[in-house]
Amino acid sequence: MNNVIYMDNHATTPVAPEVLEAMMPYLTTHFGNASSTHPFGVTAKDAVEKARQQVAELLGCSAEEIIFTSGATESDNLAIRGIAYACREKGNHIITSTAEHHAILDACHALATEGFETTYLPVDKYGRVSPDDVAAAITPKTILMSFMYANNEVGTLNPMTDIAAVVAKHGVLFHSDAVQGIGQLPSNMEMLGVGLASLTAHKIYGPKGIGALYIHRNAPQPHSLFHGGGQEEGVRPGTSNVAGIVGLGAACELSKDYMETRTHRVAGLRDALHQKLNARLADLHLNGHPEQRLPGNLNLCFAGVQSHALLMGLKSVAVSTGSACDSESVKASHVLVAMGVPNELALTAVRFGLGRYNTAEEVDVVADEVVKVVNRLRALAPEW
């Protein structure tokens, strides 16, 4: 795979060398259980609490507001289902959008079998939720709303502070699947106005299998989805993944420097790739907001070329059709459908996810190969 250029950083990122270095002692000599009271356990516990502080510093919150989980899907479920159970005496109504990650949508669908109701708000042509729609959807029974910080497929940023203002006015709890935004965009949760936020390490150059849920100090505590030893204040019991937690903490610390110095470089590479493709290919359609989007996201429809055929033709480029969770599905992205992209065009979408380690030279190589494969595939199509 050394000769394959990786541009699928929304699906996952490589573990940064600094993160791996921080983790190694806890995969080898410092192997203690963080719940044990002997020196091995104390060493592990200290590492966990140091990492909790590192995560909190990135999010602009206190360490007590961080609960470690196995990743974003668990964090999303803990937020949606946990808060629904905790607040069911106050109401049974949840608000989200049609363009959310399946971890949110499927959790809401599951709650429907338990007497909860969900309003799925539409998004505009860029994939954004309207704060006015949010306000109109709130009822006396509304206990929670959940909207992405940045869309994982098209990169569009939601108007978070505007939504938060509506939420605060009505006293409703606001959760965000902030997985794609944290570490790339301003990540102060207090300033964003959210009460809960999900994050995961493997989107910010940390290991897979570890994530966290931010829970504001004034928010109700979600009901635990598991029963066990009482770790993480009883909200998420289970033996601590010490090495993973250390990796998440290190990745968060690295992200602070990255956001200040490198996001503009990645956005420049993304724009250069778009310009090169646009100059050499007809019928190229950008999905998502042209400006209010993630720095490394470029989601394009190549009219006349099925996305799976294009991916198979790109022998030295790793990209995707959209969410990695749906990568084996040969159907139009629910995000693009929600944005109003025609089904036939949506089936031609490819997501380029540029990251910290991509270079200008790689952009040139990727542009050349994409143009070559698209032209070849279009030549085989009757309408072309």
Side-chain angles (χ1 to χ4, degrees), residues 96-216:
T96 188
S97 85
T98 53
E100 298 299 311
H101 192 280
H102 281 298
I104 299 296
L105 299 177
D106 290 353
C108 290
H109 293 155
L111 285 172
T113 66
E114 302 178 50
F116 291 90
E117 300 176 359
T118 300
T119 296
Y120 299 92
L121 297 181
V123 294
D124 64 15
K125 65 180 181 179
Y126 300 122
R128 296 177 301 186
V129 174
S130 164
D132 291 338
D133 288 348
V134 174
I138 296 174
T139 76
K141 294 185 177 181
T142 305
I143 53 175
L144 177 68
M145 56 185 64
S146 181
F147 301 110
M148 278 182 166
Y149 187 3
N151 189 273
N152 59 306
E153 293 193 25
V154 299
T156 295
L157 311 186
N158 263 319
M160 297 294 286
T161 54
D162 293 338
I163 294 173
V166 171
V167 172
K169 185 177 179 181
H170 290 82
V172 178
L173 195 57
F174 182 14
H175 165 258
S176 179
D177 179 338
V179 166
Q180 297 289 349
I182 287 175
Q184 296 196 69
L185 305 169
S187 300
N188 186 297
M189 296 296 106
E190 199 84 46
M191 293 180 66
L192 286 177
V194 299
L196 301 100
S198 303
L199 65 148
T200 191
H202 79 102
K203 306 290 188 180
I204 54 172
Y205 303 86
K208 298 171 183 65
I210 185 68
L213 179 65
Y214 157 76
I215 308 173
H216 190 277

Side-chain angles (χ1 to χ4, degrees), residues 72-334:
T73 294
E74 185 187 340
S75 292
D76 284 345
N77 274 267
L78 182 56
I80 300 298
R81 296 171 66 88
I83 290 297
Y85 299 147
C87 299
R88 71 188 316 162
E89 291 185 1
K90 298 180 181 179
N92 68 339
H93 182 229
I94 299 167
I95 302 172
T96 188
S97 85
T98 53
E100 298 299 311
H101 192 280
H102 281 298
I104 299 296
L105 299 177
D106 290 353
C108 290
H109 293 155
L111 285 172
T113 66
E114 302 178 50
F116 291 90
E117 300 176 359
T118 300
T119 296
Y120 299 92
L121 297 181
V123 294
D124 64 15
K125 65 180 181 179
Y126 300 122
R128 296 177 301 186
V129 174
S130 164
D132 291 338
D133 288 348
V134 174
I138 296 174
T139 76
K141 294 185 177 181
T142 305
I143 53 175
L144 177 68
M145 56 185 64
S146 181
F147 301 110
M148 278 182 166
Y149 187 3
N151 189 273
N152 59 306
E153 293 193 25
V154 299
T156 295
L157 311 186
N158 263 319
M160 297 294 286
T161 54
D162 293 338
I163 294 173
V166 171
V167 172
K169 185 177 179 181
H170 290 82
V172 178
L173 195 57
F174 182 14
H175 165 258
S176 179
D177 179 338
V179 166
Q180 297 289 349
I182 287 175
Q184 296 196 69
L185 305 169
S187 300
N188 186 297
M189 296 296 106
E190 199 84 46
M191 293 180 66
L192 286 177
V194 299
L196 301 100
S198 303
L199 65 148
T200 191
H202 79 102
K203 306 290 188 180
I204 54 172
Y205 303 86
K208 298 171 183 65
I210 185 68
L213 179 65
Y214 157 76
I215 308 173
H216 190 277
R217 57 192 174 276
N218 295 330
Q221 180 171 291
H223 276 203
S224 175
L225 304 183
F226 307 131
H227 302 284
Q231 293 91 343
E232 297 301 303
E233 305 299 324
V235 178
R236 202 288 184 177
T239 302
S240 298
N241 174 5
V242 178
I245 289 170
V246 168
L248 173 58
C252 286
E253 189 166 284
L254 277 178
S255 291
K256 289 191 298 182
D257 174 64
Y258 168 74
M259 286 192 297
E260 294 173 359
T261 62
R262 302 182 189 177
T263 52
H264 294 302
R265 186 189 74 84
V266 174
L269 293 176
R270 174 204 64 196
D271 292 343
L273 177 59
H274 188 200
Q275 291 163 7
K276 291 175 185 297
L277 294 174
N278 216 24
R280 298 166 63 184
L281 292 171
D283 282 334
L284 200 61
H285 304 267
L286 176 67
N287 299 312
H289 199 282
E291 297 172 353
Q292 296 299 313
R293 67 188 302 121
L294 290 168
N297 180 278
L298 182 63
N299 190 303
L300 299 171
C301 282
F302 297 84
V305 177
Q306 292 288 304
S307 56
H308 285 273
L310 178 52
L311 262 58
M312 290 178 65
L314 295 173
K315 303 301 183 183
S316 61
V317 181
V319 291
S320 68
T321 58
S323 173
C325 303
D326 294 330
S327 60
E328 295 182 4
S329 175
V330 187
K331 61 182 181 181
S333 156
H334 75 283

Side-chain angles (χ1 to χ4, degrees), residues 327-352:
S327 60
E328 295 182 4
S329 175
V330 187
K331 61 182 181 181
S333 156
H334 75 283
V335 173
L336 297 182
V337 170
M339 290 163 51
V341 178
N343 192 73
E344 184 178 353
L345 188 60
L347 289 169
T348 72
V350 171
R351 180 185 66 179
F352 299 83

